[in-house]
Amino acid sequence: MRPSFPLGVDILEWKKAGEFYRLHRDRLTHWLTTDEKKFIAGKKKPHEAFAMIFAAKEAVSKALGIRVSGPDALKAIHLKPRTSRKFHILNHAALEVTLSRHPRYVVACCLPVSV
Amino acid sequence: MSQDKQEIIKTVRNIISQALKVDESKVQLESSLIKDLGAESIDFLDIVFRLEKAFKIKIPKGELFPEKILADARFVKNGQVTQAGIDELKTKMSNVNWDEFTKNPQVSSLGNLFSVGMIVNYLSDKLQIASK
């Protein structure tokens, strides 16, 4: 039998995330942790940092088997950005998220740390 | 149909058209947000925030799109919504036709039930309650 492990992938358009961020930035504090807010605030392009956080949370929620995620599910995932390409998940330490940047999209892939 | 409901439909169609970047003519009451209009997770949040602003109401988390139920082990087993989960969802989404979904209650297909009409009905109920 093949070994199985949690896997979650999310693809998010920079443009869509950017528009969302510009429109609703004041609402986001409710479901972002202090680390996540710091990461966004520390970037020259905060809307892109937000896209990375959102895609990463989506990827984690998919790896955890939450198929339809909303504010509650996203709030329950606490990311610790290590670099712009790798995030740890504080409350799911066995998982990590790797991010890839493409011209139109950010791609977040959540896998166990050991894989 | 009452004038108030017509106004709600008009505003909801406009909001969804703007949020999902689709022509308003494609936004019909029976349109599924995911299957027909291509909505993604971020769009659901966007729609909720826009509705709150337009109708000057507060939509509590999970009240319009009851995603929290799907993270509850009592209501989901092996990728399928249990009967208890369906019963719970029916209390939250009373204006939905459940016949097709209950034949094969895959969690992954639940999102297809989120329709424009469901939002309109939710707002009609909510605004009536708010105005009482």
Side-chain angles (χ1 to χ4, degrees), chain A residues 10-13 15-17 19-21 23-24 26-28 30-31 50 54 58 62 65-75, chain B residues 19-21 38-50 52-53 58 61-62 67-68 70-71 79 106-108 110-111 114:
Chain A
D10 192 66
I11 301 172
L12 181 58
E13 207 179 0
K15 192 178 167 191
K16 179 180 270 194
E19 284 174 10
F20 180 90
Y21 182 77
L23 264 178
H24 307 301
D26 55 322
R27 309 288 306 271
L28 303 180
H30 302 300
W31 53 272
F50 164 74
F54 193 94
E58 279 289 308
K62 287 174 185 172
I66 305 164
R67 306 285 180 87
V68 182
S69 58
D72 282 333
L74 294 173
K75 193 178 176 182
Chain B
L20 302 182
K21 308 277 183 296
E40 301 170 356
S41 289
I42 196 168
D43 297 317
F44 285 95
L45 280 178
D46 188 17
I47 289 167
V48 167
F49 291 161
R50 286 173 190 254
E52 287 186 335
K53 205 178 276 184
K58 177 84 190 122
K61 286 170 194 162
E67 80 278 350
K68 206 172 179 178
L70 302 179
Q106 294 284 329
V107 174
S108 53
L110 183 74
F114 298 153

Side-chain angles (χ1 to χ4, degrees), chain A residues 62-105:
Chain A
K62 287 174 185 172
L64 295 173
I66 305 164
R67 306 285 180 87
V68 182
S69 58
D72 282 333
L74 294 173
K75 193 178 176 182
I77 296 160
H78 300 165
L79 299 172
K80 179 79 180 173
R82 291 292 178 198
T83 67
S84 287
R85 292 183 184 273
K86 191 152 283 196
F87 293 175
H88 290 181
I89 303 114
L90 291 179
N91 51 340
H92 297 283
L95 299 172
E96 67 180 3
V97 178
T98 307
L99 295 137
S100 317
R101 296 175 66 97
H102 295 264
R104 283 183 62 192
Y105 303 97

